[in-house]
Amino acid sequence: MESKCYNLCLLIDDNFIDNFVTRKILESGNFAKEIVVYQSAPEAIQALKDKKIVPDVIFLDIRMPLMDGFAFLDEYDKLVIDHKQDIKIFMLSSSLDPVDFRLSTQNKYITQFIHKPITHKVLEAICI
């Protein structure tokens, strides 16, 4: 990817190592001008609610303590934010559970389910 695909990318994952790896891949792939990372889904919801961040794209982990990815989506549904319909949410997970995959594909906010770790090839397909 030559130019940046998005302005702001929000990464929500409780795992520090996964965040580090994903962020490095996003940066090296020139994916977004800014990458904001939250290790807690409730903190990310609050930042969205307070309009501290206005992402173009969100990478959301499924398995997290306090609030998992699906609970995040329930709270996200209640938010009143500008251009909500334009925000792309990618479920980024190492889960092999077919129920997780099915639930993510049935959610109106999820653009795509992506297995960790994300790759440059996947990022290129997202930027098309």
Side-chain angles (χ1 to χ4, degrees), residues 64-111:
M64 295 182 285
L66 302 176
M67 180 187 290
D68 70 12
F70 295 111
F72 170 90
L73 291 167
D74 290 341
E75 291 303 309
Y76 180 83
D77 188 50
K78 299 172 191 173
L79 293 176
V80 177
I81 53 178
D82 295 337
H83 309 292
K84 187 176 185 179
Q85 72 281 0
D86 298 328
I87 299 172
K88 294 181 183 200
I89 302 179
F90 296 93
M91 193 64 87
L92 186 60
S93 184
S94 55
S95 172
L96 298 175
D97 186 340
V99 173
D100 287 340
F101 179 77
R102 182 176 46 77
L103 289 174
S104 68
T105 58
Q106 292 174 346
N107 188 287
K108 67 181 178 182
Y109 295 112
I110 299 297
T111 302

Side-chain angles (χ1 to χ4, degrees), residues 23-41:
R23 182 184 198 117
K24 287 296 180 192
I25 292 168
L26 292 170
E27 289 171 349
S28 68
N30 218 15
F31 186 74
K33 290 179 185 173
E34 184 178 0
I35 301 165
V36 176
V37 179
Y38 281 94
Q39 284 187 251
S40 157

